[in-house]
Amino acid sequence: MSYRIGIGRIWHESNSFFAIGTRLEDFESYPGCLVVGQPLFNRPDRADEITGMLKVFSRDNQFEPVPLLGASLEPSGAITPDCVEALSDLLRGQLQASGELDAICFSLHGAMTGETIADLDGYFLQVMRDEVGPDIPIVCSLDCHATVTQQMHQLSTALTAYRTHPHTDVVETGERAAEILMDVI
């Protein structure tokens, strides 16, 4: 039996002291900060959570990684409503285009906020649940200073976070998320 695992990342540390909102154009303006579909896995220079997830899933041929969306940006202002809508549409579109998934392994930051939605990490987990239903496992990696909300807790199967600051264990955290997901399955 083969398990299809959706893999993705929406990673942003929102800074409420930064007066200018973060737009989709901000993600698009940096190479590699907004990637949809297969190009998400085609980054040989990558050293993030997705690297760790792919490393673990590649050890067992019964796990098929399915690329979803990668959106990441350095800390900046709260995400604008238009950007939230665009990222949500991209995520929904990829989940729909991917076909049936058996699980999701996803990297969130844990300190992502929008101008009109305080808990964007929980919001994006809700988008995933809306598309895949309540039963498939969703395991997420987080930054070590994430604000874990009740919504994030309720919508995910498991959460794991960096254990170092500075963050020298980003890849290892992705590995841990994938290993937890494999154990759940």
Side-chain angles (χ1 to χ4, degrees):
M1 177 170 191
S2 179
Y3 298 100
R4 301 185 76 243
I5 312 297
I7 295 179
R9 183 176 202 234
I10 301 178
W11 197 94
H12 182 261
E13 181 176 346
S14 303
N15 183 336
S16 63
F17 294 108
F18 198 88
I20 300 170
T22 300
R23 305 161 302 141
L24 186 65
E25 295 83 9
D26 297 320
F27 284 94
E28 294 171 329
S29 65
Y30 295 97
C33 287
L34 183 62
V35 183
V36 179
Q38 190 58 44
L40 182 64
F41 292 170
N42 300 341
R43 300 217 18 226
D45 62 333
R46 160 173 265 135
D48 61 12
E49 299 92 332
I50 292 174
T51 304
M53 293 171 188
L54 291 174
K55 182 178 173 183
V56 168
F57 291 129
S58 71
R59 294 181 198 151
D60 189 331
N61 63 6
Q62 68 177 329
F63 292 95
E64 176 191 348
V66 178
L68 298 173
L69 163 71
S72 58
L73 195 60
E74 294 296 318
S76 53
I79 297 179
T80 66
D82 287 347
C83 185
V84 171
E85 182 178 356
L87 291 173
S88 299
D89 289 347
L90 287 170
L91 180 57
R92 284 183 200 283
Q94 283 305 110
L95 287 165
Q96 292 167 3
S98 294
E100 189 173 336
L101 296 173
D102 297 295
I104 296 175
C105 201
F106 212 85
S107 172
L108 292 169
H109 186 280
M112 183 169 34
T113 63
E115 291 179 344
T116 59
I117 300 171
D119 177 13
L120 272 185
D121 298 285
Y123 173 85
F124 287 121
L125 278 165
Q126 185 64 60
V127 168
M128 289 181 237
R129 283 285 174 220
D130 290 346
E131 293 301 321
V132 301
D135 298 326
I136 77 161
I138 298 177
V139 174
C140 293
S141 62
L142 301 169
D143 190 286
C144 63
H145 59 257
T147 301
V148 178
T149 65
Q150 188 66 31
Q151 184 178 21
M152 291 166 64
H153 179 264
Q154 290 173 340
L155 295 172
S156 63
T157 306
L159 302 167
T160 188
Y162 308 157
R163 296 178 179 171
T164 62
H165 197 293
H167 308 319
T168 58
D169 65 335
V170 176
V171 173
E172 291 85 356
T173 302
E175 290 175 1
R176 195 166 45 255
E179 289 165 353
I180 291 168
L181 186 57
M182 289 173 79
D183 286 347
V184 169
I185 290 173

